[in-house]
Each structure stands twice: as structure tokens, then as C-alpha cells.
Amino acid sequence: MRDDKCIFCKIIAGEIPSNTIYEDDDFKAMLDIDPATKGHTLIIPKNHYANLMELDDEAASKALLVAKKIATKMMGSLGCDGINMAQNNGIVAGQTVNHFHIHLIPRYKNDKDKTICGWSHQSFTADEMAEIKNTLSF
């Protein structure tokens, strides 16, 4: 599966160069061209899925295994003190490329900006929490 208009699909096809750090039959991981920190990496499936909800279960499972492998390498090789893993779905959630991808962002004690999502916290009453729980429960 490929979307000819998708920049990540073009990168996977070799039409656009990338700083690839990992590749297997199903995934490619490359340094982000606009990194938050040293080593900021994107993990992208070679098949086109617009977002997490389109990703099949096998690809979703493998994505986490690839993220773990790369994060482990980051911790050992970059000397980072932690790692953020971020994955956005939809424009309002910050997704800028309509192709599922995971951000791995090495974090360092001296980082200037420690925020990733920029969310503010909200409060809900016990009744509201119960309603939300009932709505989301399987």
C-alpha cells in the first residue's frame, strides 16, 4: 500500500533522501528533519496507514518492538537521560503528515524545553468521570 501524495511514502520509495538509522521489511526509522533534540527519530511503516486506527494489529505490535529496539540503542549510544515516545492522530492532535509514525525523542537533563504535547490538565466531577468511563468501557 502506498499513497503517491504522501511524503513518507516517497521517502520509503527512495524518491526523497533520509537519514535512515534502522530499516527492516516493514519499517524505516530516520532522523527527524526538524528535531526537538539530538537523535529525534521517526519510525514509519512501509505500508501507508493514515493513523493508528488504520494500522493493522500486526503492524501495531511490530511498531512498538521497533520503538523499543531504537530507544534502547538511544539510551546506550546518545547518553540521553530519558526518551519521549509520541504518536499523533489527526490535525487537532498535532499530526502533520497523514501517515502513521512514532516520534522517539531523546531527552537530556539540560533540555531547554521539556514539554512535548503541551496539554493543560482538566478536572472532572465524579459523575462526569463515571459517564466517561461508561462511554469508553468495552
Side-chain angles (χ1 to χ4, degrees):
M1 286 188 317
R2 179 178 171 182
D3 179 341
D4 290 332
K5 298 175 186 172
C6 174
I7 190 167
F8 286 172
C9 288
K10 291 177 181 182
I11 291 170
I12 291 163
E15 297 169 19
I16 298 172
S18 67
N19 289 306
T20 300
I21 64 162
Y22 174 86
E23 188 165 5
D24 63 25
D25 291 340
D26 302 310
F27 285 86
K28 178 182 278 247
M30 61 190 176
L31 297 178
D32 193 302
I33 63 169
D34 189 23
T37 65
K38 175 184 171 185
H40 181 169
T41 297
L42 301 178
I43 301 169
I44 56 176
K46 290 185 175 180
N47 285 327
H48 182 85
Y49 304 95
N51 54 48
L52 177 65
M53 287 67 68
E54 288 189 8
L55 200 62
D56 64 55
D57 290 349
E58 184 178 343
S61 297
K62 186 159 186 191
L64 191 56
L65 294 173
V66 170
K68 178 183 175 188
K69 180 182 287 197
I70 294 169
T72 300
K73 173 84 172 181
M74 288 175 165
M75 291 294 290
S77 299
L78 294 176
C80 57
D81 302 298
I83 295 173
N84 287 116
M85 183 169 71
Q87 201 281 306
N88 306 319
N89 296 281
I91 293 169
V92 300
Q95 186 177 11
T96 58
V97 177
N98 196 31
H99 186 124
F100 173 87
H101 57 287
I102 297 172
H103 293 261
L104 285 182
I105 304 169
R107 302 314 301 236
Y108 305 90
K109 289 179 184 170
N110 62 350
D111 285 350
K112 293 178 185 172
D113 183 7
K114 298 215 185 296
T115 61
I116 292 299
C117 295
W119 65 62
S120 59
H121 295 271
Q122 299 181 27
S123 297
F124 296 93
T125 66
D127 288 342
E128 290 170 326
M129 291 294 279
E131 181 181 343
I132 295 165
K133 175 186 168 196
N134 290 336
T135 301
L136 293 176
S137 294
F138 289 84

